[in-house]
Structures are given as C-alpha cells and as structure tokens.
C-alpha cells in the first residue's frame, strides 16, 4: 500500500487506493450551499501580464468576474498572506461568498479551445516530436514518482538528442540527491537504456529542492541554471494521499504549483509548461469537459486560511470546505487549476488530466508498475486470496489509463504547446471511458482469470470475488470472508510462536477499498476531444513512437500483462516459479471446493438439528427418491 508520509511530494497523479484514509465521512457531509450553483466555466484570451487573469474567450467583464470569484480578489504573496484580514476571509468562505456564479459555455465550443489542423504529408513545416526536443533542456518535478520515472525514460529513449533533463529531487532519509538519482537510474525501468544507450543517462541532472519550501527549496545558483537553460517544464509533483491533511495538501498541490509558475516566469526561453492534474478534480460534476471550472472558493483565501488557522480547526472545517468532493486531493487539484489559470499570465501552459493511472501498456515494457496504488493493490490482494468483496457498480465504466499512454500525451502536449502558440490554455482529459470503455465487471473477470492463470507464490487461498451494491450484504461478506479467516490464521500463528500479520493486512485492504469505493460506485463522462484532435496533428511515425490512442488497447491482454507485471516488479517473483505456483493453485482450488461442500453440509446439519419439520421433509424426500430409484429397471 501507499507509503506516502508527511512530505511525500514526489508522487504523481493517480487514484491512490493505497493511501490510508476515510472517504466515508466526507461523503456524508452535506455540500456547502454555495456549491449548489453550476461551477463557473473559464474560457478566455491570453493575458499579456502575469497578474492579469488568463481566460479562454469570455468577455473582459466575465474574466474580471472569474478573477474575483471569491469576492475578495486579493493576491497573496509567496508566503500565502493576503491583502484581506484572516477573519474576513474566514467569514467569506463560511458564508458562501466564495461561490462562483454560473457562466454559460460558449456556443459550438464543444470543449475544444483551439482549432487543430490534421497532419498533412506535404506540410514542410512539420517538426517531428523527437526532433523538437533536440538540443532542449527539460525540468521535471515529481521525477522520482511513478509517472515521473516513465517520463524520464521515454524522453531519453525516444528523444535521443535532448540536451539535459533536470530533476527536482528532495534529500530523503539522510540521502543526498545524487544518491537518490543513482538509485533511480539503476531501477529495472532503465535496464534497456543502461544496456543500449548508457551515455544517455548522464543527461539526467539532479536539482536539490523541496516542493513544500519557498522557491521550491532550490538554491539561487540552480535557479539561475534552470532559468538560463530550460525551455520545457513538466510539473507532476503532488501528494496523492487521499487522507492527507488539508494544510499539507494545499502546500504541495497549490503552493507548490504557484512557486513553480513564479520560477517559470523567470525562464528566458520557456516554450511549454505541462501541468499534471487529475480528471477527478471535477468529480462533483457528471460531465467533465476539457475546460477549467472555478471552484467554490478563491484559492488565495484557502491559502490564507491554512497559514493562520490551527491545524485542528482546519481538520474540523475540511469536510465542509471540500463539499461534494471525496478528499483533499481532488479539492486542492481543482483549486490548483484555477490558480494556474490566473497566475500563468503569458506563459505557454497546458494541463493534462489522467483518470486512474495503471501499469504500462507497452513502454518501456508491458505491465511495468512500481506501487500498490489504485486497482493494483486490490488486484494484488485478490491474487493472494485475501480480498473477495467490495462495493462497486459492476456496469459502470472503470476509467483506467496505462501510464505510458499518459506520458506520451504529455510529451505530445508539450510539442503542440511550443510549436503552435495559442491564446488558450489547453486541457487534455486523458481517459479511456469515451473511446474504449471497460466496465468494472469485465475488469474483475479479466483480473480473476489472469491471477488464476499466473498465480503468485505463497497464495493463501483460491482467488474469488464479487462486486456488490448492497452494503449490508457486503459488510457481512467482509466479516465472514475477510476478517474471520484473518483472526483464525493469526490465532494459529500466535499458538505456533509466529508473528501475526493477516489482520493488519486486512485492515489496510479495508482502508484502501474505502478510498476506491467513491470512484467505483459513481460514473463520469470525461470528454476528450482535445486529445483526439491532438492525435490527428501527429505524423503516422510520431503516432507510432508516442502512442496515446486508447482505442488500440485490448483490455483482456492488457490486464493479463498487468498481473504479470506486478507479479514480477512488485512481488519480485520470476517467471520460472510459475509452474510450481500453478500446481499450488490447483490444490487450492480443490481445497476451496471441499470447504464450500463442508460448509453446506454443516449448515444443513445445523438446520436439520434445529427443525423437526425440516427433518421430516428431508426423510420424506429420501424415501421418495429411493422408491423412484427402484422403478428403474437396471437398478
């Protein structure tokens, strides 16, 4: 499960089921009155000044209204202080003054914010994506996280003439950033590069810093280095821990973004800033277009609050502040988008919003994954025979997207943003639900088949499971199938003098399921017109190199590679162990069937002993069956 801690900033955007936390309490909170209005849709022309709000086609009056969406309109300094008193900010937020008023979507916009011209073979001005990155230096935040690693590897492998990749790395547990970089580049992910292009790895340069610190914790010397050399920035640093305290979530996801934008304004030759958000930042809406919706509160006022309110008071206010959203992660990601719109000014910015990010489809090899976040942790528990039931609407779309699809889109979005200057801040919903939907029941069916075909070593029980929408029945099954066996196994372990662990694992699984439940019992329609249009601006060769057409995903094969991937990369189990694991799975199957038979017989025996009428009916049935049998000639 996720091991995000107080300053776990080098993770990336995904739906993290491993983050231990409770979604239930926030689900039960009634939404703030201000949130009953439709969220404001911000579309407008590029501002010419940093402090001028960036919009996408609305009138100047509408843009001004968006800039002052909370009624306070005061910009905060880098420390988060604002021109208003904290008491006024607090009163405004709690009274609903922070609510946005509804603005209509421009006619015929369809969510598309910029015209796209399809690729033409006779277009001599076309610059291939790989060639575009030649001689350029890139700055990446979150580069040591799941998505960041894949991004670094892809840039080195598919853009061989790239100049340098600067990674923001935080010193951790006494390790210097150079040591952490060495560990990163020695990971299995970079094996092919180490073997075929070892010199490419020397292009990765660590930048010591911390997303939670002023000026990102980067030294003045390194800031000057970045400002002189960097032309492309990928911002994927975030905390994805669902039960993160509001203060830390705001500090990382919002203030971290604000500080990065301030640095980008100083870069001499910046051509693209790609901000990684999440498709679920607008999870309070059913239909999500590729536009920015203003949150109910001014981001500056939320930043002001976290700087002067005690943390215990913030914790009490959090459910009311986040409203319909399930956690601080989606709440602060929504605020960060709105803040980016206002702070970007004339920067060339695009936002990529992935849905649930899962193991790689093809690159650098199929099934690569390095964490138990999201569905990975639950399918792993299923494979171990420790997870059998959860609340989920089986006919709803499980909007998952492989990590390499997201990375390829990010790279293509940077290319597009830099080579086609636009007055619009473009948003790309990187999802599969519209073009190649997979429903939860199919995902579970494919996963079940795969974990039985490629079982884990040391599997505790035969993998089975069921999706339910009946909460009492689900709770009963959790007790009987999860916790009762766990306590029995741990009890036996204690008697044998061994350390019990199964109950602890079940508690972690329960918390992970609670985090994912919100997303498994609801459904969204993420429009991806910009993504589809961007795809058709690429040449056929670039489409082969930077694949993000989700229509080509074959889900049954993908899920099988997914299972093989976490078996190898998370559980460190080699393919050579599969024959023995399959033999064990056969034994577990027969044991499972025998257990069900014994359970039925014991239940029947119990009922027979408690009911004379049932006993008489059973005796009569047996008598009649014997009489019928005697009528058969050959018997």
């Amino acid at each position: 499960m996720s091991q995000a801690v107080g300053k776990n900033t080098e993770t990336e955007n995904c739906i993290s089921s491993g983050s231990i936390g409770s979604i239930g309490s926030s689900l039960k909170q009634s939404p703030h009155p201000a949130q009953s209005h439709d969220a404001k849709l911000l579309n407008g022309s590029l501002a010419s000044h940093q402090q001028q709000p960036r919009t996408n086609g609305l009138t100047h009056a509408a843009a001004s209204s968006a800039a002052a969406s909370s009624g306070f309109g005061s910009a905060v300094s880098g420390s988060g202080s604002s021109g208003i008193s904290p008491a006024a900010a607090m009163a405004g937020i709690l009274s609903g003054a922070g609510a946005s008023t509804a603005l209509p979507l421009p006619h015929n916009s369809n969510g598309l914010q910029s015209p796209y011209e399809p690729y033409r073979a006779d277009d001599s001005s076309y610059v291939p994506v790989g060639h575009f990155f030649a001689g350029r230096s890139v700055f990446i935040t979150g580069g040591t996280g799941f998505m960041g690693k894949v991004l670094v590897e892809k840039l080195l492998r598919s853009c061989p003439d790239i100049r340098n990749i600067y990674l923001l790395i935080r010193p951790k547990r006494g390790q210097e950033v150079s040591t952490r970089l060495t560990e990163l580049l020695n990971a299995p992910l970079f094996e092919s590069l180490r073997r075929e292009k070892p010199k490419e790895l020397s292009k990765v340069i660590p930048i010591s810093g911390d997303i939670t610190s002023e000026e990102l914790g980067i030294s003045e010397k390194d800031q000057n280095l970045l400002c002189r050399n960097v032309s492309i920035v990928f911002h994927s640093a975030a905390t994805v821990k669902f039960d993160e305290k509001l203060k830390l979530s705001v500090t990382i996801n919002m203030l971290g973004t604000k500080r990065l934008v301030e640095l980008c304004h100083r870069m001499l030759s910046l051509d693209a800033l790609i901000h990684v958000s999440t498709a679920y930042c607008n999870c309070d809406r059913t239909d999500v277009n590729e536009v920015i919706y203003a949150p109910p509160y001014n981001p500056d006022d939320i930043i002001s609050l976290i700087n002067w309110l005690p943390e215990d008071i913030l914790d009490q206010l959090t459910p009311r502040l986040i409203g319909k959203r399930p956690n601080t992660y989606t709440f602060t990601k929504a605020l960060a988008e709105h803040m980016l719109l206002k702070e970007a000014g004339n920067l060339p910015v695009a936002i990529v919003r992935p849905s649930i990010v899962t193991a790689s489809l093809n690159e650098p090899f199929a099934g690569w994954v390095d964490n138990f976040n999201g569905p990975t942790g639950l399918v792993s528990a299923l494979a171990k025979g420790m997870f059998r039931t959860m609340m989920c609407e089986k006919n709803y779309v499980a909007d998952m997207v492989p990590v390499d699809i997201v990375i390829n889109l990010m790279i293509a979005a940077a290319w597009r943003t830099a080579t086609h200057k636009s007055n619009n801040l473009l948003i790309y919903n990187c999802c599969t639900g519209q073009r190649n939907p997979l429903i939860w029941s199919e995902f579970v069916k494919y996963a079940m088949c795969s974990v039985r075909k490629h079982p884990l070593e040391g599997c505790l029980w035969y993998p089975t499971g069921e999706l339910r929408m009946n909460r009492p029945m689900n709770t009963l099954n959790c007790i009987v199938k999860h916790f009762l066996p766990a306590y029995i196994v741990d009890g036996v372990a204690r008697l044998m003098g061994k350390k019990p662990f199964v109950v602890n694992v079940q508690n972690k699984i329960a918390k992970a399921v609670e985090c994912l439940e919100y997303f498994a019992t609801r459904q969204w329609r993420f429009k991806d017109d910009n993504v589809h249009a961007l795809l058709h601006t690429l040449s056929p060769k670039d489409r082969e190199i930077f694949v993000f057409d989700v229509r080509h995903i074959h889900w049954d094969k993908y899920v099988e590679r997914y299972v093989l991937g976490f078996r190898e990369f998370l559980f460190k189990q080699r393919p050579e162990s599969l024959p023995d694991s399959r033999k064990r799975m056969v034994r577990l199957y027969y044991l499972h069937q025998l257990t069900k038979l014994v359970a039925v017989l014991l239940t029947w025996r119990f009922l027979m002993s408690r009911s004379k009428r049932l006993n008489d009916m059973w005796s009569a049935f047996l008598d009649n069956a014997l009489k019928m049998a005697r009528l058969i000639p050959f018997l």
Side-chain angles (χ1 to χ4, degrees):
M1 298 297 148
S2 173
Q3 297 180 3
V5 291
K7 289 193 176 182
N8 185 15
T9 64
E10 288 159 354
T11 52
E12 58 294 308
N13 178 67
C14 64
I15 299 301
S16 171
S17 72
S19 303
I20 300 176
S22 173
I23 290 182
S25 59
S26 54
L27 283 176
K28 295 177 184 176
Q29 297 294 332
S30 59
H32 193 281
Q35 291 174 307
S36 61
H37 300 287
D38 289 334
K40 184 183 303 177
L41 197 57
L42 302 177
N43 284 345
S45 60
L46 180 66
S48 60
H49 188 270
Q50 175 179 349
Q51 298 301 325
Q52 193 172 357
R54 181 172 185 160
T55 55
N56 289 329
L58 295 180
T59 64
H60 177 72
S64 301
S65 172
S69 62
S70 73
F72 306 124
S74 301
V76 295
S77 67
S79 63
S81 62
S82 81
I84 60 170
S85 69
M90 182 69 173
I93 286 178
L94 294 182
S95 66
S100 59
T101 55
L103 290 175
L105 183 68
H107 291 299
N108 301 323
S109 72
N110 247 353
L112 287 174
Q113 303 165 332
S114 173
Y116 290 85
E117 294 183 3
Y119 169 78
R120 299 194 320 272
D122 60 348
D123 185 2
S124 59
S125 64
Y126 182 84
V127 179
V129 177
H131 292 176
F132 162 76
F133 281 92
R136 293 180 178 271
S137 291
V138 174
F139 179 48
I140 301 175
T141 69
T144 60
F146 178 43
M147 288 175 58
K149 294 175 185 176
V150 181
L151 175 60
V152 172
E153 196 278 341
K154 178 64 176 181
L155 286 172
L156 292 176
R157 180 164 46 83
S158 298
C159 306
D161 295 322
I162 195 169
R163 183 179 177 187
N164 285 311
I165 298 176
Y166 297 101
L167 289 188
L168 183 68
I169 301 179
R170 175 170 57 88
K172 190 175 182 181
R173 300 190 189 98
Q175 287 184 319
E176 296 295 328
V177 294
S178 57
T179 304
R180 293 196 64 195
L181 178 62
T182 301
E183 289 182 358
L184 170 69
L185 298 180
N186 284 330
L189 183 70
F190 296 91
E191 183 179 347
S192 62
L193 277 172
R194 288 196 302 269
R195 185 176 60 251
E196 299 169 8
K197 302 177 181 179
K199 292 183 179 179
E200 294 295 311
L201 299 177
S202 63
K203 296 179 179 179
V204 184
I205 301 172
I207 298 293
S208 180
D210 187 341
I211 200 77
T212 65
S213 301
E214 291 291 337
E215 298 183 334
L216 303 178
I218 302 175
S219 68
E220 184 176 352
K221 178 182 177 182
D222 283 344
Q223 287 185 47
N224 292 333
L225 175 70
L226 296 174
C227 291
R228 286 195 308 269
N229 298 320
V230 169
S231 59
I232 305 293
V233 175
F234 293 99
H235 178 44
S236 66
T239 174
V240 298
K241 190 178 178 184
F242 280 178
D243 63 342
E244 191 69 85
K245 298 285 188 180
L246 180 63
K247 185 180 182 71
L248 185 58
S249 190
V250 168
T251 301
I252 297 173
N253 294 345
M254 295 175 59
L255 274 174
T257 301
K258 182 182 178 70
R259 291 160 180 161
L260 178 68
V261 170
E262 291 170 353
L263 178 63
C264 288
H265 274 292
R266 295 167 49 200
M267 292 181 178
L268 301 178
S269 56
L270 183 70
D271 287 324
L273 165 60
I274 305 301
H275 172 73
V276 181
S277 183
T278 170
Y280 295 98
C281 66
N282 298 298
C283 59
D284 55 335
R285 307 173 64 89
T286 302
D287 293 282
V288 181
N289 291 300
E290 291 170 304
V291 291
I292 293 177
Y293 301 94
Y297 308 113
N298 188 328
D300 294 343
D301 297 326
I302 298 298
I303 291 173
S304 182
L305 280 185
I306 66 128
N307 277 289
W308 68 270
L309 270 184
E311 194 157 349
D312 58 337
I313 302 297
L314 274 176
D315 293 342
Q316 295 176 27
L317 284 175
T318 296
R320 186 172 181 180
L321 289 174
I322 65 178
K324 294 180 181 180
R325 292 179 174 86
N327 48 56
T328 58
Y329 169 64
T330 55
F331 176 66
T332 54
K333 277 295 191 179
L335 288 166
E337 285 193 1
H338 184 245
M339 184 178 64
L340 183 64
L341 184 74
K342 293 199 301 179
E343 299 288 336
N346 57 359
L347 294 178
V349 181
I351 296 175
V352 174
R353 293 176 181 159
S355 52
I356 305 176
V357 183
T358 51
S360 62
L361 176 66
N362 293 310
E363 299 179 279
F365 29 76
W368 184 81
V369 64
D370 73 343
N371 63 77
F372 286 98
N373 292 343
T376 306
L378 300 186
V379 177
S380 300
L382 173 71
K384 278 286 188 180
M386 301 178 69
F387 178 58
R388 298 177 179 281
T389 181
M390 73 171 288
M391 289 288 293
C392 177
E393 176 49 69
K394 62 182 180 180
N395 293 318
Y396 280 179
V397 172
D399 208 312
M400 303 177 193
V401 58
V403 62
D404 49 335
I405 294 285
V406 184
I407 297 307
N408 288 330
L409 174 61
M410 288 169 57
I411 294 172
W415 165 83
R416 175 75 187 186
T417 303
T419 57
H420 294 75
K421 301 300 182 182
S422 170
N423 289 336
N424 297 326
L425 189 158
L426 293 171
I427 296 101
Y428 300 93
N429 287 341
C430 186
C431 309
T432 58
Q434 295 295 304
R435 309 283 173 180
N436 189 3
L438 170 73
I439 62 175
W440 284 106
S441 60
E442 290 176 336
F443 174 71
V444 171
K445 179 182 73 174
Y446 297 148
M448 198 82 69
C449 179
S450 297
V451 298
R452 291 170 180 171
K453 182 179 179 182
H454 310 290
L456 293 174
E457 298 173 23
C459 184
L460 298 177
W461 200 256
Y462 186 72
T464 61
E466 190 170 343
L467 305 176
R468 309 173 193 277
M469 283 300 289
N470 185 316
R471 188 169 296 279
M473 184 61 68
N474 185 69
T475 301
L476 178 62
N477 275 271
C478 280
I479 294 171
V480 174
K481 296 181 179 180
H482 291 174
F483 286 98
L484 183 59
Y487 278 104
I488 292 173
V489 171
D490 278 0
V492 173
R494 285 190 177 92
L495 292 175
M496 298 175 64
K498 297 182 178 179
K499 184 179 179 180
F501 69 94
V502 183
V503 172
N504 185 43
V505 171
Q506 284 294 353
N507 286 328
K508 291 181 178 180
I509 292 173
K511 291 176 181 178
V513 169
E514 188 177 23
C515 288
L516 191 62
E517 182 181 302
Y518 177 89
F519 304 95
T521 55
R522 290 163 176 78
Q523 184 166 250
W524 294 266
R525 288 181 291 274
F526 300 114
K527 303 298 177 62
D528 62 349
D529 295 327
N530 282 348
V531 176
H532 193 62
L534 175 60
L535 176 68
H536 290 285
T537 66
L538 296 177
S539 67
K541 184 176 181 181
D542 275 342
R543 288 185 213 176
E544 293 178 4
I545 298 173
F546 302 94
V547 178
F548 57 90
D549 189 349
V550 299
R551 294 173 298 180
H552 296 158
I553 301 174
H554 299 285
W555 288 114
D556 53 344
K557 296 178 181 178
Y558 169 73
V559 174
E560 182 175 5
R561 292 194 294 261
Y562 189 175
V563 169
L564 285 169
F566 71 65
R567 186 184 192 277
E568 179 177 356
F569 302 114
L570 295 181
F571 289 94
K572 311 299 181 185
Q573 298 177 7
R574 305 302 301 171
E576 293 77 16
S577 67
L578 276 172
D580 289 339
S581 297
R582 287 173 179 144
K583 291 177 183 177
R584 178 182 175 86
M585 183 59 65
V586 171
R587 293 194 295 269
L588 288 175
Y589 169 77
Y590 287 113
L591 181 60
H592 177 65
Q593 300 301 331
L594 179 61
T595 302
K596 289 197 295 184
L597 178 60
V598 170
V600 169
L601 292 176
L602 289 177
T603 302
W604 182 250
R605 179 63 180 170
F606 173 79
L607 294 175
M608 291 279 288
S609 64
R610 296 287 178 173
S611 173
K612 185 176 185 304
R613 182 179 180 184
L614 187 61
N615 204 340
D616 291 342
M617 290 174 61
W618 177 245
S619 299
F621 171 77
L622 289 179
D623 287 343
N624 290 329
L626 289 173
K627 290 176 181 178
M628 292 291 294
R630 293 191 187 101
L631 296 177
I632 300 176
F634 57 85
L635 290 180

